Amino acid sequence: KNWREDTGAEVQRGGQGVVRRVHRLHGTEFGALKELRSDAPQSSERRQRMKKEVIGLRRAQGAGIPCVLDSNT
């Protein structure tokens, strides 16, 4: 693991996922970790929506747009 969840960081929950603030263990970078919610039924539709988000973020560029560091889609 290269990242650790920030303690005390606010967790954001949405319809399909949970977003947590994380920081790199050896460095000053921070980011967001988005995971499919564990309390929701896992479906192929839910995974497809997440995959579309990843594809869109990888294509988008510009100030304020996060880059995708890793994905298991």
Side-chain angles (χ1 to χ4, degrees):
K1 287 187 165 186
N2 293 323
W3 297 86
R4 181 171 63 194
E5 183 177 345
D6 284 352
T7 56
E10 185 174 330
V11 175
Q12 300 294 317
R13 300 176 191 277
Q16 74 174 21
V18 176
V19 179
R20 296 178 177 86
R21 182 182 165 111
V22 295
H23 69 273
R24 190 177 293 277
L25 292 176
H26 304 288
T28 59
E29 294 176 295
F30 67 92
L33 171 65
K34 183 171 184 179
E35 299 175 298
L36 290 175
R37 288 187 359 206
S38 61
D39 64 334
Q42 300 299 311
S43 70
S44 59
E45 178 186 341
R46 192 175 296 273
R47 289 189 63 79
Q48 283 299 108
R49 283 194 306 232
M50 181 74 83
K51 187 173 184 175
K52 286 180 182 180
E53 284 184 30
V54 170
I55 290 169
L57 280 172
R58 283 191 169 143
R59 289 181 180 163
Q61 296 180 5
I65 299 175
C67 63
V68 175
L69 299 174
D70 191 16
S71 169
N72 70 349
T73 56

